[in-house]
Amino acid sequence: MNVSYTILVIDDEPVMRDSCYQILSRKGCDVWLSENGRQGLSQLRERQFDAVILDLKMPGISGFDILKIIQTDYPETIAIVITGYPTIETAVEAMKLGARDFIPKPFTPNMLRTVLSRALQARRNENDQSRTGRGCSAAGIDTIVGASPVMKELKRFIIKAARTECSVLITGETGTGKELVARALHYYSPRRNNNFITVDSGGLVDTLIESELFGHEKGSFTGAITNRIGRFEIAHKGTLFFDEIANMSLQIQSKLLRVLQEHEITPVGGQKLIAVDVRIIAATNTNLEQEIKRGMFRKDLYYRINVIPIHLPPLRERREDIPLLADYFLTKFLKNKKVKAPVRITESAVESMMNYSWPGNVRELEHLMNRAVMLCDDDKVDPFRVSGNFGTDAPCGFSVNHQAHQLHEIEREHIIEMLKLYGHNKSLIARMLGIDRKTLRNKMKRYEISDNTVHLSEKRKDL
């Protein structure tokens, strides 16, 4: 966690409170502690928290009661549950009350940091999504902004596909809104009253992702200090969303295929078979058919998950939606800034946006509008005037007259300009482009961009 967050820990055990404080404060978080539910609610009223880590079983006001209040009164605050009594029933109930994740006690420092970091990243990637354990309230078609013919047809198809039990594969470039579509599919499905669970397919090593998916028995491997409930069990009767499934190793692909065929799992280190009933939705920005040819993705798994394909067009292919999206994000971020005066996007900015290629798609537009609103000091917003280069009409010095160039050339130059402007801070650049650091690293490798590339480019300008 490279960004400072404000975290509230509510637990009646002093040792647990101190442990959470030590683990998170060392990573730069501003950590507040409460020894009971009443004190925790008082602190929630006094200041804004990015996340609350709370025990379920406490004297007086229980963790379940606090979850209900957070869900109703503080929907922007992430809730993560820790408990010494991990059961399927408590996990499911906590998720239904809005908990983002569930950690059994005792846990390792890395487990707490990983779960919290993943939850905060997921919240940053959401567009006005208030995570609820009972699927996706506020996750209907209206959250998918667009009035172009292709988007109207897409919305109609989503509702049709949602009513089936078939697996869905969502494809599209990074930042096109694949998770929004997955949540909408769940929202309109017969499973909407049960859990919608997300799995970051490339975020963990094989041993950890097995534990995440299937759970594990105490003592099954180093660090398995208690039983853990897997995501398949928590998603029982609901939906399991595999984000960027192409990042999953062949070993895990094989085990996932078996679960899809048999509808049962075995926890790591366990012997008992557990029946599971989940609908699978997967997403990827990679061409899986090419990955199959390369031997990096199983053909039989591909056919299992690609029963209903949905492809999301990049923003450059639906330019008529750009002003609509810009207004949507303007309204959203003005609300966060608590500005009451009328604010509008300048005409020159709209023209520039219409001509820009948007390699980061809708997510890049969202981040650009967020930055513009936070930095604007009058009633006119020009996102490109706060991009770091005030002498151009497009982000990072791009000329809007780029039609003659190939898209990959534009994207390559865009990344190089970002590296120049932001001092090679790749984490910051990835966030501003609306992609993760791994995707940025892959793009730099594909386009043969290195620090030397940027330095040579700068030298040529000096000459």
Side-chain angles (χ1 to χ4, degrees), residues 11 20 42 73 101 123 162 167 178 191 198 207 220 225 234-235 253 267 272 387 413 446 455:
D11 197 300
C20 290
S42 176
D73 298 343
D101 217 319
R123 173 50 57 89
S167 298
K178 294 186 287 294
R191 297 173 178 264
T198 299
T207 52
S220 56
I225 50 183
I234 298 176
Q253 289 177 36
K272 181 182 177 182
S387 64
E413 291 302 318
R446 184 189 315 149
H455 291 154

Side-chain angles (χ1 to χ4, degrees), residues 214 232 255-256 258-267 272-277:
F214 314 128
F232 265 98
K255 296 187 177 184
L256 175 60
R258 192 196 71 80
V259 175
L260 299 185
Q261 291 171 337
E262 306 296 333
H263 303 287
E264 57 187 19
I265 62 169
T266 303
K272 181 182 177 182
L273 293 173
I274 301 172
V276 289
D277 172 18

Side-chain angles (χ1 to χ4, degrees), residues 153 155-164 185 279 308:
E153 180 60 31
K155 292 177 183 181
R156 286 193 290 266
F157 186 77
I158 287 171
I159 294 175
K160 289 181 181 179
R163 293 166 182 162
T164 75
L185 286 165
R279 184 190 191 181
I308 298 179

Side-chain angles (χ1 to χ4, degrees), residues 58 131 406:
M58 294 182 292
R131 171 76 153 78
Q406 294 294 319

